[in-house]
Amino acid sequence: MNINDKLTRVQSSANTELGKRVVAQIRFAMEISKAQNGNFLDVIDDAVTYLYEKLTNDGAVVNDAYMQAEKMLMPIQPEAKKYTMHCVPHAHIDMNWMWSFNETVNITLDTFRTMLTLMREYPDFTFSQSQASVYKIAEEYDPEMFEEIRQRVREGRWEVIASTWTETDKNMPNGESLCRHILYTKEYFKEKFGLSSDDLQIDFEPDTFGHNINVPELLNKGDIKYYYHCRGSNRNDVYLYKAPSGKEVICYQEPIWYNANIEHNFFEYLPDFCTKNNINTVLKVYGVGDHGGGPSRRDIERILDMQTWTVAPVIKFSKYHDFFKELEVYRDSLPVIDKELNYIFTGCYSSQSRIKAANRLAEDRLYGSEAFSAISYCFADGYNYSKQYAKAWQKVMFNHFHDILPGSCVQESREHALGEFQNIMAYAGAGMTKALLNIAEKIDSSFVPFDLDTMSTSEGGGVGFRSEISNRCINNPAERGCGKTRVFHIFNSTSHFRAEPVEVTVWDWLGDLNLLEVVDTNGKAVPFMIIERGIYWAHSFIKLLVLSEVFSFGYNTYILQEKENPGFSISYPLDKRLEEFPDNLLENDLIKAVFDDDMCLVSLTDKTTGQVIINSPSCYLRYIEQNTRHSKQPSGWTEGEEVFGCNINREGRVYITGRDYRCCLRKLIKYTVEYKNSRVDVTVSLDEGASMLRFKLNIDFKEWGVQGQTVPGLKFHMPINYDAQEYLYEIPCGSIKREPMHHDAPARSFVYAVSNNGSKGVCLLSDTIYAYCGENNSISATILRATTMPDKYPEFGIHTNEIGVAVLSNKKDIIYKTAAGFNQPMQFVSVIPHKGKLASTGSFIKVEGSVSVSALKTPEHAQGHEIIVRLYEIEGKSGECRITFADKPVSAHIVDILEREQSKATVFGSTVIFNAGANEIITLRIKF
């Protein structure tokens, strides 16, 4: 009988603690021998044969025999002790995964209570905990416990390993959100625990569903050196993760799992693992998790016992930081991975679409609000609103948790996320309005002829007008003007000049609509059209579309008034004299779009080149059903195999409900698609000067899946008329080209189908969607997917989306500008004419270089008038960049994400000059 068979017999009879201990040491010794090509095999064979003979002859193995066998293994002890195992406890606490927020609070407090009790009993026991959010819970719901945690942190026995507010998804939050995770988390622990950035060097993401390629760049800019993860790769366990910028972090991919007990054989894999990775130290993460809990008394007792074993590694009660610092010795010999670590759970890019829509809108609205709050503070003596934005960002970051934003959570979690979203939007809306009104107060409009109408009812009209999610949470401030002459300031929060129609709402205007006109500050008539009239809470309104021109991070002034000299005109009867049958055609100087009777886009032509981008049915709604019967994971995580799909523009009922070709500013067609129990109301429009079609969708979805059978979904499908072998997807702080793939992949606001011959291509944009698929010369966006687990009815009801189809060159700066304009609508406020120090039109900031602006904000600890500008390089090449300001800076520094000075930037007059490395994130702090 060979050694393995003998050991199997011995192991099956080892029912005592001592027996399990000795068998575990033998198995570990065998792994050491295997790693050394059979060395020590004779020693192991003698010990196993001894136990086997005792079992065979006596019918059992007594304790004395086990102790004797353990002594026989003594020659292997020096080799075993060359290995070190860092035993680090943790409690994986999922935020609202399969439960409500109140349960998350209970889980957190009960877990921490247990850990503190064990610390009192076991002086060598250390504990490590991630996620700033759980510390915030302890602070708010049990301040006494929070103080005890702070004491244990000061003692060095409770290790904080939180560099993010929650264990966040890394694919769907935008780059600025991932920056804020680092900024606000390190700020929190500095304030509450006195921890420096050097004390928080680990990004601990055990259960995150994939990792974007810019993670190393983001972590480097946030002073984070190490990354722990479990999912997203099967290639290496210890390696350097390298971003396109060249920045690297040491990564440790959990070889077993992040939830584990201390078992007798828990270090058996160690020799093979160390040989494979050319190291001699490993990390053992232990503790019950997901629903909290953490390590148990048994885990601690077993570690204490194992420290006395003959053939075992050096076993320590340790900390994550201690382990990673030991890995630094091996940095130069570690393999390098320079690709994104995806994909896992691709269904999570589309599950629970309401949560995803809320996050997209929250991030975009906070960007615009912060930008103008910072401008207001620096250039118009406005209020510093940064503390309020920090509160909003905490709520945004909580919803980034890897089971909330991905939609792999229950209904209660979804409802909590959407409730938090309302609070976020309250901060964003209040901050934006406050900032714009303050800037508007400083803009000189005294040149406008004006007589105060003391009987006006307009001021204050329109409070809260259409600020709900279904209207994209666009800021619609109440009317501040009165009388027949109204002054409007229109604001642009992007880094490029924009000339486009902007929607402006006028309240209680009592003039003659036939005499209404809009003029610029030079008195020149500006094209406009009335697109809606109505009554809202006892106030009448007129919604106008005004062709506006606004510089980057700037504003322009427009005047609405009644013409003084209308001239002579002849009135004609309004009745039709001939029935009209218009074509389904949208056309301007740049593109021509032709739709068939089912409102499929059958032709899209770039008029500047004559290139036909689309020449077959495209841009239609596609209903799908996915089979989940054979999926290893419930439908909330996995897409499943598509077993049915159809073009519902063809298979359903399509009704054209309206057309508006009156004005060149915006032409549109409205139609309805009905299929099964659901209905989609669509408005497709084309603006003057735009090479993009906009599809506004209002979806009443009444389909649901059946567990173990199929789940329904809805896609926007866009076949194209050119060969595309790769697709450009927007990712956090950059973009990535991916080959065609037969599943959804994550992107933020755009996917661009790259033409093989370098000609123009088509870009699919969305303001709420993350799941895209580029394959077979087409792009699809998964609008929603009605999963059955863990949320049974996540998509039943009303959904709103905006999708753009843009004909663009393959230049990244054009693509990024288009996406910025799509996601950042221009804002307006109305005022009564008054004197001011600012000109009637202007730009506060101008950006030059191959960079995209990630944030414009006030520093967290502003010293006077200061502003933070964060950008990232988009072309993949180093180069000089310039930012010109409305005032002359006193100083300018390149800082990290934590807003700490790294080096000086050049100030030349009103311009700051700096160099941006390829694919680099650059943060500037400018003082005025």
Side-chain angles (χ1 to χ4, degrees):
M1 184 177 288
N2 63 39
I3 187 172
N4 289 316
D5 292 337
K6 292 176 185 178
L7 182 58
T8 300
R9 286 287 304 279
V10 171
Q11 183 172 352
S12 65
S13 67
N15 298 319
T16 65
E17 193 69 19
L18 180 58
K20 293 176 181 178
R21 159 181 170 158
V22 173
V23 169
Q25 291 179 82
I26 293 172
R27 295 187 67 86
F28 181 52
M30 291 181 71
E31 291 300 317
I32 292 174
S33 177
K34 190 186 302 182
Q36 297 191 3
N37 298 317
N39 196 16
F40 302 113
L41 195 57
D42 55 341
V43 176
I44 300 167
D45 190 29
D46 288 346
V48 172
T49 300
Y50 171 75
L51 291 174
Y52 176 75
E53 289 175 351
K54 287 290 185 182
L55 176 63
T56 302
N57 296 333
D58 301 338
V61 182
V62 297
N63 284 351
D64 286 346
Y66 282 125
M67 293 174 67
Q68 178 60 33
E70 189 173 43
K71 289 180 181 178
M72 295 170 71
L73 297 172
M74 186 65 73
I76 310 175
Q77 186 182 68
E79 199 63 36
K81 296 304 179 184
K82 289 181 180 179
Y83 299 106
T84 300
M85 177 161 276
H86 293 259
C87 294
V88 185
H90 184 260
H92 185 61
I93 301 176
D94 282 326
M95 302 290 100
N96 301 11
W97 175 28
M98 305 291 279
W99 47 82
S100 56
F101 178 71
N102 58 295
E103 189 168 343
T104 296
V105 172
N106 292 337
I107 292 166
T108 300
L109 299 182
D110 283 343
T111 298
F112 288 177
R113 193 169 287 116
T114 302
M115 296 304 100
L116 292 169
T117 299
L118 291 172
M119 281 185 165
R120 297 184 203 112
E121 295 185 35
Y122 296 95
D124 292 333
F125 173 62
T126 58
F127 178 69
S128 301
Q129 184 61 52
S130 61
Q131 302 191 108
S133 58
V134 296
Y135 294 89
K136 184 72 172 177
I137 285 172
E139 180 189 10
E140 291 190 358
Y141 295 95
D142 195 335
E144 185 179 18
M145 176 189 291
F146 186 69
E147 286 303 315
E148 187 174 356
I149 292 171
R150 293 175 66 180
Q151 177 59 32
R152 295 304 185 192
V153 171
R154 284 193 290 269
E155 293 172 359
R157 294 183 60 199
W158 184 304
E159 180 190 28
V160 176
I161 51 166
S163 292
T164 53
W165 198 258
T166 59
E167 291 172 8
T168 176
D169 182 83
K170 294 290 190 181
N171 279 314
M172 290 181 283
N174 68 5
E176 187 56 33
S177 287
L178 297 178
C179 290
R180 298 307 174 94
H181 273 279
I182 298 170
L183 171 63
Y184 291 125
T185 298
K186 290 201 173 188
E187 279 280 317
Y188 178 79
F189 287 111
K190 179 181 179 181
E191 176 188 349
K192 302 297 181 181
F193 291 84
L195 297 176
S196 70
S197 179
D198 290 339
D199 297 319
L200 303 165
Q201 293 286 295
I202 301 167
D203 188 359
F204 186 79
E205 307 291 351
D207 198 24
T208 295
F209 307 158
H211 318 272
N212 79 77
I213 189 62
N214 282 326
V215 163
E217 170 69 13
L218 284 156
L219 298 187
N220 269 271
K221 295 297 184 178
D223 192 24
I224 298 170
K225 299 178 181 179
Y226 313 117
Y227 197 56
Y228 174 95
H229 72 98
C230 187
R231 305 184 191 273
S233 169
N234 291 321
R235 292 173 287 190
N236 293 90
D237 299 307
V238 184
Y239 60 95
L240 293 175
Y241 193 18
K242 185 177 181 179
S245 66
K247 295 296 192 301
E248 298 172 339
V249 291
I250 293 179
C251 278
Y252 186 87
Q253 183 178 357
E254 174 59 50
I256 308 299
W257 205 246
Y258 57 88
N259 290 332
N261 299 317
I262 297 297
E263 304 293 350
H264 294 90
N265 64 343
F266 78 90
F267 50 73
E268 188 175 313
Y269 73 96
L270 194 154
D272 179 66
F273 178 86
C274 288
T275 300
K276 172 187 173 183
N277 290 283
N278 195 29
I279 61 175
N280 64 2
T281 184
V282 296
L283 175 66
K284 176 60 182 177
V285 178
Y286 69 100
V288 178
D290 290 352
H291 200 251
S296 66
R297 184 185 304 277
R298 185 186 69 176
D299 293 327
I300 299 171
E301 290 288 350
R302 279 186 172 166
I303 291 174
L304 290 170
D305 180 53
M306 289 173 177
Q307 289 175 336
T308 69
W309 288 11
T310 300
V311 181
V314 175
I315 299 175
K316 299 179 178 180
F317 286 106
S318 190
K319 303 173 186 176
Y320 289 98
H321 282 87
D322 292 342
F323 168 72
F324 275 104
K325 286 176 182 176
E326 284 195 16
L327 281 186
E328 282 283 2
V329 176
Y330 306 97
R331 175 184 281 271
D332 292 341
S333 63
L334 295 177
V336 176
I337 293 180
D338 58 1
K339 298 179 181 179
E340 61 178 340
L341 300 178
N342 283 318
Y343 302 91
I344 179 71
F345 301 150
T346 58
C348 285
Y349 309 142
S350 55
S351 299
Q352 289 187 332
S353 65
R354 288 184 179 88
I355 296 177
K356 292 171 169 58
N359 186 68
R360 282 287 310 276
L361 294 172
E363 290 175 335
D364 285 335
R365 297 301 166 263
L366 279 174
Y367 163 87
S369 297
E370 281 190 319
F372 277 114
S373 288
I375 288 171
S376 171
Y377 175 69
C378 270
F379 304 117
D381 300 317
Y383 175 76
N384 184 353
Y385 205 73
S386 60
K387 290 184 178 179
Q388 287 78 8
Y389 288 132
K391 293 178 181 178
W393 275 108
Q394 286 184 13
K395 297 179 184 298
V396 172
M397 295 183 299
F398 186 91
N399 285 345
H400 286 158
F401 182 77
H402 62 257
D403 280 312
I404 298 177
L405 181 55
S408 50
C409 55
V410 293
Q411 177 181 332
E412 288 85 352
S413 182
R414 166 165 54 89
E415 290 171 347
H416 180 267
L418 294 178
E420 292 289 74
F421 169 67
Q422 294 180 38
N423 286 316
I424 296 163
M425 298 314 299
Y427 283 117
M432 173 69 86
T433 299
K434 188 174 184 66
L436 295 187
L437 287 175
N438 178 65
I439 297 170
E441 286 178 3
K442 309 300 192 298
I443 299 172
D444 185 22
S445 54
S446 59
F447 61 90
V448 179
F450 178 77
D451 291 322
L452 182 66
D453 183 356
T454 58
M455 300 301 292
S456 174
T457 61
S458 61
E459 291 167 278
V463 291
F465 182 61
R466 294 181 181 171
S467 57
E468 63 270 16
I469 187 173
S470 60
N471 287 297
R472 328 321 297 153
C473 302
I474 302 300
N475 208 52
N476 275 307
E479 180 72 70
R480 302 259 67 89
C482 67
K484 293 184 179 180
T485 300
R486 305 289 177 91
V487 175
F488 292 93
H489 303 301
I490 295 178
F491 296 86
N492 172 16
S493 61
T494 71
S495 60
H496 59 279
F497 171 78
R498 295 166 72 175
E500 62 192 59
V502 177
E503 293 186 6
V504 172
T505 309
V506 185
W507 293 93
D508 295 330
W509 193 75
L510 302 179
D512 185 345
L513 285 179
N514 294 315
L515 302 180
L516 186 150
E517 70 172 355
V518 177
V519 299
D520 61 18
T521 55
N522 295 316
K524 182 181 177 181
V526 174
F528 76 95
M529 64 182 294
I530 299 173
I531 57 175
E532 187 181 359
R533 298 173 61 188
I535 303 292
Y536 178 81
W537 293 101
H539 289 273
S540 64
F541 70 88
I542 308 166
K543 184 173 282 292
L544 305 177
L545 200 62
V546 179
L547 185 58
S548 307
E549 295 183 348
V550 189
F551 290 102
S552 64
F553 293 112
Y555 62 92
N556 206 345
T557 302
Y558 294 93
I559 301 99
L560 179 149
Q561 61 191 18
E562 194 174 57
K563 294 178 183 178
E564 292 183 1
N565 301 306
F568 178 78
S569 64
I570 302 175
S571 178
Y572 294 97
L574 298 178
D575 285 348
K576 291 183 177 179
R577 299 170 186 257
L578 190 66
E579 189 70 24
E580 296 179 353
F581 299 94
D583 295 328
N584 297 328
L585 172 68
L586 296 176
E587 183 177 11
N588 62 14
D589 291 339
L590 299 179
I591 63 173
K592 178 180 179 180
V594 180
F595 298 83
D596 64 15
D597 291 341
D598 295 321
M599 286 309 295
C600 295
L601 181 62
V602 292
S603 175
L604 180 61
T605 304
D606 176 23
K607 294 175 66 174
T608 64
T609 64
Q611 181 184 354
V612 179
I613 305 292
I614 289 172
N615 70 344
S616 61
S618 185
C619 297
Y620 55 80
L621 296 170
R622 190 166 180 271
Y623 173 83
I624 62 167
E625 290 182 0
Q626 294 177 341
N627 181 7
T628 64
R629 187 176 290 112
H630 303 297
S631 297
K632 294 181 180 180
Q633 292 284 343
S635 57
W637 287 265
T638 57
E639 291 180 82
E641 178 187 359
E642 185 178 308
V643 294
F644 176 78
C646 72
N647 175 355
I648 64 172
N649 288 57
R650 290 275 197 261
E651 302 299 326
R653 297 169 296 277
V654 176
Y655 310 93
I656 295 178
T657 57
R659 298 182 179 86
D660 195 342
Y661 300 155
R662 294 173 299 157
C663 177
C664 63
L665 288 187
R666 176 172 296 165
K667 298 173 182 177
L668 60 86
I669 305 172
K670 295 183 178 182
Y671 60 97
T672 295
V673 181
E674 293 179 351
Y675 184 76
K676 289 194 169 185
N677 303 303
S678 301
R679 169 190 174 112
V680 186
D681 293 317
V682 185
T683 299
V684 55
S685 62
L686 177 63
D687 285 353
E688 180 176 339
S691 61
M692 176 171 60
L693 297 169
R694 281 180 176 261
F695 293 79
K696 293 187 177 183
L697 311 179
N698 189 288
I699 305 166
D700 187 359
F701 197 73
K702 295 179 180 177
E703 320 302 327
W704 57 88
V706 178
Q707 180 64 25
Q709 296 183 25
T710 62
V711 296
L714 189 65
K715 292 176 177 278
F716 184 90
H717 189 53
M718 186 181 69
I720 57 179
N721 183 38
Y722 59 89
D723 191 22
Q725 293 301 313
E726 55 184 7
Y727 299 82
L728 184 72
Y729 292 69
E730 185 189 18
I731 63 171
C733 287
S735 58
I736 188 169
K737 287 183 178 179
R738 296 174 177 143
E739 295 179 352
M741 58 186 69
H742 190 59
H743 59 77
D744 281 345
R748 195 172 185 276
S749 65
F750 70 77
V751 176
Y752 178 82
V754 181
S755 172
N756 282 354
N757 61 15
S759 61
K760 286 188 178 180
V762 67
C763 189
L764 183 62
L765 305 101
S766 167
D767 67 343
T768 56
I769 295 170
Y770 289 104
Y772 302 85
C773 180
E775 65 165 343
N776 298 328
N777 297 331
S778 70
I779 305 174
S780 288
T782 303
I783 301 169
L784 53 85
R785 205 168 55 86
T787 62
T788 59
M789 278 289 290
D791 191 346
K792 195 171 183 179
Y793 302 111
E795 307 293 14
F796 195 94
I798 304 298
H799 305 262
T800 57
N801 308 80
E802 289 194 16
I803 292 174
V805 175
V807 178
L808 303 172
S809 74
N810 59 10
K811 294 181 179 179
K812 286 187 179 179
D813 64 324
I814 299 297
I815 298 171
Y816 274 90
K817 286 178 181 179
T818 302
F822 183 82
N823 287 284
Q824 296 296 329
M826 290 207 275
Q827 308 286 340
F828 75 93
V829 294
S830 59
V831 297
I832 290 176
H834 60 272
K835 291 184 178 295
K837 65 178 183 179
L838 296 176
S840 59
T841 184
S843 170
F844 295 104
I845 301 170
K846 180 183 178 182
V847 179
E848 298 173 273
S850 63
V851 288
S852 178
V853 177
S854 176
L856 198 65
K857 65 183 290 289
T858 306
E860 295 305 304
H861 305 285
Q863 304 295 319
H865 288 164
E866 291 185 293
I867 199 167
I868 293 285
V869 184
R870 186 157 25 252
L871 319 97
Y872 53 92
E873 201 282 322
I874 62 174
E875 295 286 0
K877 57 185 179 182
S878 300
E880 184 181 274
C881 301
R882 295 169 176 258
I883 306 178
T884 302
F885 295 91
D887 288 342
K888 291 184 178 181
V890 173
S891 64
H893 289 85
I894 295 173
V895 300
D896 60 12
I897 288 173
L898 308 178
E899 301 176 1
R900 303 175 307 180
E901 293 181 5
Q902 305 293 300
S903 61
K904 284 187 176 182
T906 301
V907 177
F908 183 78
S910 298
T911 301
V912 174
I913 305 170
F914 61 97
N915 189 72
N919 303 296
E920 184 183 9
I921 298 170
I922 295 287
T923 307
L924 293 146
R925 184 167 185 160
I926 297 98
K927 187 176 182 63
F928 297 93

